Amino acid sequence: MSTHSPFPHVFEPLELGFTTLSNRVLMGSMHTGLEEEKNGFDKLAVFYEERAKGGVGLIVTGGISPNIRGRLAPFGCQLSYFWQVGKHKKVTEAVHKYPTKICLQLLHAGRYAYHPFSVSASKVKAPINPFTPSEMSVRQIKSTIKDFAHSAKLAAKAGYDGVEIMGSEGYLINQFSCIRTNKRTDEWGGAIENRMRLACEIVKAVREKVGEKFIIIFRLSMLDFVKGGNEWQDVVTMAKAIEKAGATIINTGIGWHEARIPTISTSVPRAAFTWITEKMRKEVSLPLVTTNRINTPEVAEKVLADGQADMVSMARPFLADPEFVNKAANGHSEQINTCIACNQACLDHVFKQQRASCLVNPQACYETELTITKTSTPKKLAVVGAGPAGLAFSVYAAQKGHDVTLFDGAEEIGGQFNIAKQIPGKEEFYETLRYFNVQLVLNNVEVKLGQTQSVEDLAEGGFDEVILATGISPRKLTITGADHPKVLSYLQVVKEKVPVGNKVAIIGAGGIGFDVGCYLAEQHSLSENADAWMENWGVDKNYEKGGAIKSDGAQQHTDREIYLLQRKTTKVGAGLGKTTGWIHRATLKNNGVKMYGGVTYQKVDDQGLHILHEGESKVLVVDNVIVCAGQEPERSLYDGLLSKNITTHLIGGADVAAELDAKRAIRQALTLAISI
């Protein structure tokens, strides 16, 4: 490794006394769903091996329970029996082909367990779970401590270099450490010294069982972000006790799962919470890991160079690009497929008990199934449309060895991503377009922009097959007055920047309706300004109260009067992503946007929009009506190409235009490229 690395702090080894980490990058814990699948550990081994080969210094696995009650779900993964060691060995042996270390995360779900046998410090139900936990007896507490130690011993037998003890995010250990969930009056409740006892006893018991030469990471909740969360002094007291109990490294935990402050979504500024790790560095001498929304080597380097932490944890960026570290080491950060923090294929899948993957990299967790092998019969392919589907297909097909020409009528690549990137809090889409621009060049794809193709053009081009990734056209309004000057399409508003008045009705409350609502309500993005973002969501950087939250999260209010309307009678925004939908709803609510479901649209005239809502006719006196009422597939070339006997494929929005779905579009592009 040359000393001229563009990221010297990232690539400085970390000395732990009994072992050394090759760099300062930790791949954070993610549950993939492979842990519970049949033959899932064979796939998991390949998944982790790809990341080790990609250069990461230390990997932490998804959470594995130390006992049956701690499982996240009824058939969740646990490590308690010697016969379970074998499958874990597959993972550690695959990773250890490279200089990467790997730790098993031990996670007891506590009241977050999705089954009737859940336990916690006290009998207090979680707002995000239908099951009420039973209060642990002292005997149960003591046997749980033993279970953690026993699982750690089995992890060592399986070849892991260490364990991470999950003490944050609102799981069991965190439930003991906060008065929000710990109402006990015995020696396990009350003062912080008692509430943190479980954490300390677990670390001590694990250390005793595994000896000195084994990494113990403790994931400490430094910002609970819930009422009844710990005060800063409590967190410091606990950190010092964990250090004394024998931990090797402390990792930063941010926010409980039930917290109402976003912690990892796209709209959260990059490296938004590194300040809390930096604050803790003054209190303990163990190496500290900082985390959340660090997704480029440039951001990681700055955090380390500024002395905010000893290591950076990135989880989802390793779904997006297993080669992240090597690309950075070789000075090619422009080639990294950047995580856009959308959660659509990772967290949203896991919460629905599906296998995790990645919107920008559908091969994540499918390494053994969706593989690209060089073709022995290269074809000449035309791809029409340079949106997500067309871009992804062009790159995958070219990697396979086909000769690809990509056409688009616009002057830039990106399709709908060029609209998405302009929505406040969605600036990460710029990164995806940068990645594709670089990949098109690297894979010798011929790109022809500003050229609309006809059936004749394509027929005369000598192409073996044509892939139509022509996207969608917005559905038009079909009521009286649909052509009134007040009526605008979302493309006119976001793309063409047509001025919009102060009183607005948005028709359609799908993803695009919410995006347009955000665009109009938040005229400036907060994702570039971390302090303004904290202020907006009510985060107290002075940490004056428990949980670091202000009682009255200061909110922005737009000057505009906005109505967001839908025909469906379901909750407005019910179809949004499981882990991010609430953030979009809260953003609009905080900006005073009025949301109506079960609306019948009657007409638009000079007065405004006439609707029927809850059985009565109303006129919304508005300056503009913005139509976000779905899309139609754009496939005008399709029949003509088929009539000329040209093999033609439809992908992305041109195939299905239901809701704009980049996750489906990119995955479909990959599976088609594999099959051609």
Side-chain angles (χ1 to χ4, degrees), residues 304-496:
L304 294 169
D306 290 352
Q308 293 190 300
D310 301 282
M311 278 189 96
V312 291
S313 167
M314 296 181 249
R316 296 167 303 166
F318 286 103
L319 290 174
D321 197 332
E323 289 282 311
F324 184 104
V325 177
N326 285 348
K327 286 177 180 177
N330 297 325
H332 289 305
S333 60
E334 79 288 349
Q335 294 179 20
I336 292 172
N337 195 358
T338 305
C339 164
I340 58 173
C342 67
N343 297 345
Q344 288 176 30
C346 50
L347 281 168
D348 285 359
H349 279 208
V350 171
F351 278 110
K352 290 186 280 200
Q353 313 281 300
Q354 298 168 346
R355 191 192 309 185
S357 188
C358 176
L359 180 143
V360 297
N361 174 26
Q363 287 172 299
C365 300
Y366 287 86
E367 285 77 11
T368 59
E369 292 141 281
L370 298 176
T371 51
I372 294 172
T373 41
K374 279 278 190 221
T375 178
S376 51
T377 53
K379 291 180 177 173
K380 191 175 177 191
L381 304 175
V383 182
V384 185
L391 290 167
F393 176 83
S394 299
V395 171
Y396 291 131
Q399 284 171 354
K400 203 175 163 183
H402 294 302
D403 173 7
V404 184
T405 307
L406 174 63
F407 299 96
D408 200 290
E411 294 295 339
E412 60 177 341
I413 65 161
Q416 294 286 329
F417 271 17
N418 290 319
I419 296 154
K421 71 188 184 187
Q422 299 181 58
I423 306 300
K426 288 200 170 177
E427 294 79 7
E428 292 291 4
F429 283 105
Y430 280 102
E431 297 291 347
T432 308
L433 296 176
R434 180 258 317 143
Y435 168 76
F436 276 123
N437 266 318
V438 171
Q439 292 299 323
L440 293 170
V441 175
L442 285 178
N443 290 288
N444 301 316
V445 175
E446 191 175 347
V447 182
K448 297 190 168 180
L449 298 175
Q451 299 186 18
T452 308
Q453 297 302 296
S454 67
V455 171
E456 285 63 39
D457 296 335
L458 292 165
E460 288 162 18
F463 296 106
D464 297 313
E465 300 185 26
V466 174
I467 291 82
L468 291 182
T470 37
I472 52 94
S473 42
R475 195 173 291 145
K476 297 209 167 23
L477 207 52
T478 53
I479 57 173
T480 311
D483 52 356
H484 193 282
K486 282 182 191 285
V487 178
L488 300 170
S489 81
Y490 69 88
L491 289 176
Q492 288 175 289
V493 174
V494 182
K495 199 176 172 189
E496 297 163 29

Side-chain angles (χ1 to χ4, degrees), residues 28-294:
S29 170
M30 286 175 289
H31 190 80
T32 64
L34 288 169
E35 295 84 353
E36 289 83 20
E37 274 188 32
K38 193 173 187 294
N39 302 325
F41 269 77
D42 295 330
K43 295 172 183 176
L44 206 55
V46 179
F47 168 74
Y48 285 124
E49 183 178 342
E50 284 293 301
R51 276 81 197 156
K53 188 173 143 191
V56 65
L58 177 61
I59 292 172
V60 177
T61 69
I64 307 283
S65 179
N67 57 30
I68 195 157
R69 286 179 185 267
R71 290 178 180 187
L72 275 166
F75 300 102
C77 212
Q78 79 179 76
L79 177 57
S80 306
Y81 306 102
F82 68 92
W83 48 263
Q84 293 169 324
V85 165
K87 59 184 183 180
H88 286 275
K89 271 196 170 143
K90 293 177 180 176
V91 169
T92 58
E93 283 167 5
V95 167
H96 288 148
K97 291 177 194 171
Y98 301 92
T100 299
K101 305 264 188 276
I102 182 165
C103 292
L104 177 90
Q105 188 187 71
L106 291 175
L107 181 156
H108 189 302
R111 71 176 193 159
Y112 281 167
Y114 210 82
H115 54 70
F117 307 109
S118 62
V119 292
S120 185
S122 303
K123 191 178 172 175
V124 184
K125 188 175 106 49
I128 55 175
N129 195 336
F131 299 102
T132 301
S134 49
E135 177 170 318
M136 290 173 85
S137 66
V138 172
R139 192 173 154 192
Q140 277 180 318
I141 293 172
K142 290 186 171 163
S143 77
T144 298
I145 294 166
K146 279 199 183 113
D147 292 340
F148 267 94
H150 178 60
S151 293
K153 182 77 176 162
L154 292 174
K157 276 202 167 63
Y160 287 102
D161 301 287
V163 290
E164 175 172 85
I165 296 165
M166 183 49 157
S168 67
E169 266 44 36
Y171 292 112
L172 181 76
I173 295 172
N174 210 176
Q175 289 159 28
F176 266 84
S177 68
C178 292
I179 54 171
R180 176 183 183 82
T181 37
N182 187 339
K183 311 292 183 195
R184 303 175 75 98
T185 52
D186 60 5
E187 74 271 31
W188 303 93
I192 184 61
E193 287 70 16
N194 289 349
R195 300 197 310 274
M196 70 185 190
R197 188 177 303 249
L198 178 65
C200 297
E201 293 299 327
I202 288 172
V203 174
K204 275 185 208 154
V206 169
R207 180 54 79 206
E208 212 161 292
K209 210 54 161 191
V210 295
E212 290 305 307
K213 297 186 171 176
F214 193 73
I215 300 169
I216 299 177
I217 307 170
F218 186 86
R219 183 118 160 239
L220 176 69
S221 186
M222 296 195 198
L223 293 165
D224 291 315
F225 285 157
V226 287
K227 284 197 170 110
N230 278 333
E231 293 177 15
W232 175 241
Q233 206 36 61
D234 295 340
V235 182
V236 171
T237 302
M238 191 165 164
K240 290 182 168 167
I242 294 292
E243 176 171 32
K244 207 166 146 209
T248 320
I249 294 172
I250 290 180
N251 193 356
T252 305
I254 309 287
W256 288 36
H257 282 313
E258 65 208 64
R260 277 313 186 219
I261 290 170
T263 53
I264 58 170
S265 70
T266 294
S267 56
V268 177
R270 289 175 175 182
F273 306 113
T274 50
W275 56 274
I276 196 69
T277 315
E278 182 178 25
K279 199 172 158 85
M280 185 57 83
R281 273 191 102 194
K282 301 182 180 79
E283 307 288 345
V284 292
S285 52
L286 288 185
L288 293 189
V289 184
T290 197
T291 182
N292 288 47
R293 288 289 288 122
I294 297 165

Side-chain angles (χ1 to χ4, degrees), residues 597-600 602 611-618:
V599 173
T600 306
Q602 293 168 320
I611 61 168
L612 192 64
H613 181 237
E614 292 174 349
E616 57 175 301
S617 293
K618 296 179 183 172

Side-chain angles (χ1 to χ4, degrees), residues 416 419-420 423 426 472-475 489-491 493-494 506-520 564 576 584 588 626-632 657-661:
Q416 294 286 329
I419 296 154
I423 306 300
K426 288 200 170 177
I472 52 94
S473 42
R475 195 173 291 145
S489 81
Y490 69 88
L491 289 176
V493 174
V494 182
I506 299 169
I507 292 183
I512 295 176
F514 270 84
D515 276 354
V516 170
C518 282
Y519 178 76
L520 293 173
L564 181 62
L576 298 173
H584 300 306
L588 294 192
I626 300 170
V627 185
C628 307
Q631 300 78 235
E632 305 287 353
E659 253 298 328
L660 285 189
D661 189 348

